[in-house]
Amino acid sequence: SVTTREAAHSRKIVYGRARIGGNIVYLESTGTDNKYLYLVIAVAGHEIDAYESVWFNDEKIWNGTNYVGDWDDYVNIGFFKGNQTAADNSRANNLVGASNSKWTNDHKLLDTAYMVVRLTHDVDKFASGLPNISTIIRGKKVLDPSDNSTAWSQNPALCIYDYLRDTKYGLSETVANILTSSVTTAKGVCDEAITLSAGGTQPRYTIDGVVDTSNSIKANIETMIGSMAGRLV
């Protein structure tokens, strides 16, 4: 959940729901007396389902619909889910059209979920300097082989099935080599409703977190399987 600024940062795959800091891939001051500070923060190396909230340090400044308190006077955020085909040139903060901006229409960040954050200079609001910016997101959409539907899911079996088939960052295994009936069975086990002592129910197993492409595929699979007490032959 910590925002970084690295020139060569590993890409992240997000399954389920997670709080992500992201990596600052572009930073620039624009406007009269450098009134505005633009940050482009990449949060995932794929399309995500949704942004649910944005946090500055430990304070929620955007609740999924509106800015909290008076934060709309000091921040403007453009959200890109990774399915964009154009650069940030149609948002309220309009990074492409900003004064002195070096961000052009060629900067599309295809297949990358990212935020364009514009901060308005205020010595009181940002007394401690640049805050740590993080966001809670619903991650990658996955395929359910039982009905061929694709949707966001916290089901570990479906997320592991996605990673096994992922040709960009995952194992790139062919569907014919995966026993889909086993995936469907495991999906049902994960979705079993477990009664809670305090009342209500919850699924037996869920997966929520980040798969780092800097790790080995084997290590990532083992970690994901751990979320459902499963095994993979």
Side-chain angles (χ1 to χ4, degrees), residues 18 59 62-63 70 139 175 177 201 207:
E59 181 181 356
W62 184 75
N63 61 19
D70 63 350
V175 174
N177 287 338
T201 63
I207 187 170

Side-chain angles (χ1 to χ4, degrees), residues 56-57 71 119 121-132:
F56 282 5
N57 298 323
W71 276 107
L119 304 178
H121 177 71
D122 186 276
V123 293
D124 296 320
K125 202 66 173 178
F126 301 105
S128 300
L130 186 66
N132 179 64

Side-chain angles (χ1 to χ4, degrees), residues 4 19 25 51 59 73 139 152 170 176 190 196-197 213:
T4 58
R19 184 170 176 178
V25 298
Y51 293 88
E59 181 181 356
D73 293 331
W152 175 76
C190 293
L196 303 176
S197 59
T213 59

Side-chain angles (χ1 to χ4, degrees), residues 140-224:
K140 193 176 184 183
K141 300 176 183 178
V142 297
L143 174 69
D144 185 343
S146 66
D147 59 10
N148 289 321
S149 63
T150 300
W152 175 76
S153 176
Q154 294 171 287
N155 187 290
L158 297 184
C159 293
I160 293 169
Y161 181 62
D162 177 85
Y163 189 68
L164 294 178
R165 294 165 46 254
D166 191 315
T167 58
K168 193 172 185 180
Y169 302 121
L171 188 61
S172 190
E173 187 56 87
T174 60
V175 174
N177 287 338
I178 302 174
L179 188 61
T180 54
S181 60
S182 177
V183 175
T184 301
T185 299
K187 170 201 169 188
V189 173
C190 293
D191 281 342
E192 288 177 358
I194 304 302
T195 301
L196 303 176
S197 59
T201 63
Q202 69 179 24
R204 182 178 293 276
Y205 299 116
T206 59
I207 187 170
D208 296 282
V210 176
V211 174
D212 196 330
T213 59
S214 66
N215 300 329
S216 71
I217 292 175
K218 180 177 183 292
N220 284 335
I221 290 175
E222 289 175 345
T223 299
M224 295 177 72

